[in-house]
Amino acid sequence: KDANAALLSNFEVYQLLTDLKQQRKESGKTKQSSGQQNLNTIMYETLKYISKTPCRYQSPETVRDFLVAMKAHKLTK
């Protein structure tokens, strides 16, 4: 499968962004380019929004169970 064409659930986006935020916190870099600052703003705004949705309380198992249950309906993108 083409990894660039995959869809992500809100849970996966939330998990990726929180992991990335943690990695950046641990690295402790202070000097950033303007492009990096823009990316940080996008990450912050996305995390702020997505943290208010139910995906914050989901787990990989619930997402997998949902996908298995929906597979029988043969939905398309």
Side-chain angles (χ1 to χ4, degrees):
K1 293 186 178 184
D2 184 5
N4 292 328
L7 297 176
L8 296 174
S9 67
N10 284 356
F11 169 75
E12 291 168 316
V13 172
Y14 178 75
Q15 192 172 31
L16 288 169
L17 290 177
T18 52
D19 290 347
L20 186 58
K21 181 180 175 183
Q22 185 64 30
Q23 287 174 359
R24 288 183 178 199
K25 203 179 271 189
E26 290 170 0
S27 71
K29 287 188 176 180
T30 55
K31 184 77 174 168
Q32 297 176 347
S33 67
S34 63
Q36 189 65 40
Q37 289 173 349
N38 292 339
L39 179 60
N40 288 342
T41 301
I42 293 168
M43 285 178 48
Y44 171 78
E45 292 292 333
T46 303
L47 269 173
K48 183 178 166 184
Y49 169 78
I50 212 165
S51 293
K52 297 175 186 176
T53 65
C55 75
R56 182 178 190 174
Y57 307 106
Q58 292 176 334
S59 68
E61 293 80 27
T62 58
V63 173
R64 184 177 52 249
D65 293 344
F66 172 77
L67 292 174
V68 168
M70 301 286 26
K71 194 171 188 174
H73 298 287
K74 299 180 182 176
L75 299 175
T76 62
K77 291 180 186 179

